[in-house]
Amino acid sequence: YEIPKRDWSSDVCSSDLDHLVTPALLKNGDQQQKSLVLWNAKTGEAVAKAPSLQVNSLVASPDGQWIAEGGADKRLRIRSGKNLELQNEFRAHDGPVTGLAWHPRLPILATASGSSVRLWNTKTWEMLEEIQLDNFWEAPPLLDIPGEEGHRLFVTVHNLISIFEPASFQKTP
């Protein structure tokens, strides 16, 4: 396996204490295919593989049950944290999905693309809120929801950090 750090903006994410998910180039003869690989963190063995030609970003839900995958194709894919099986897929933005953050206690997933962040109810996959970003400079926004309570959304573009307090973070969707 080859992990293409330069090709994708996504990093390794942990689905639970025993497993990691990472993008990889899987070789099949002379061909290479972009894929996601679920690794056993203790043994280093591949547990599951899934083709993922468009992955830009990855994040695991706080309980490790789900993996969110943001794509260059504007789509959000939700996969099982146990076997990478595709559970849901839909167009989430008008541009590549470059940032993801799962809320630590509420059923909310934040997605970023270009100049906007969208907050999704993970029970219904309806959009709860959209935040328009200033100063996005054609760079991919990165997202974080720090702390156990998750009252704030941090959006980082280059070295600029914007902090938001979304209305949907103040109540349970």
Side-chain angles (χ1 to χ4, degrees), residues 66-125:
W66 308 109
I67 303 293
E69 170 193 341
D73 58 355
K74 308 171 189 174
R75 300 186 71 76
L76 176 66
R77 292 173 186 81
I78 305 300
R79 298 183 178 275
S80 164
K82 301 295 179 206
N83 60 16
L84 300 180
E85 183 178 312
L86 187 63
Q87 303 295 310
N88 196 358
E89 177 181 7
F90 60 94
R91 183 174 170 157
H93 285 274
D94 293 331
V97 180
T98 58
L100 298 167
W102 222 292
H103 195 281
R105 65 176 176 82
L106 298 175
I108 297 174
L109 178 68
T111 62
S113 176
S115 62
S116 71
V117 173
R118 292 182 177 171
L119 304 176
W120 303 92
N121 178 327
T122 61
K123 292 180 180 177
T124 64
W125 294 109

Side-chain angles (χ1 to χ4, degrees), residues 4-47:
K5 285 291 186 185
R6 283 177 270 142
D7 292 347
W8 298 341
S9 63
S10 59
D11 289 327
V12 173
C13 77
S14 175
S15 64
D16 58 35
L17 295 176
D18 296 328
H19 295 90
L20 301 171
V21 178
T22 184
L25 292 176
L26 301 183
K27 294 181 181 182
N28 183 7
D30 292 339
Q31 304 267 336
Q32 291 186 334
Q33 181 180 29
K34 291 180 180 179
S35 299
L36 294 181
V37 179
L38 178 67
W39 303 93
N40 181 312
K42 293 179 181 177
T43 66
E45 293 180 44
V47 175

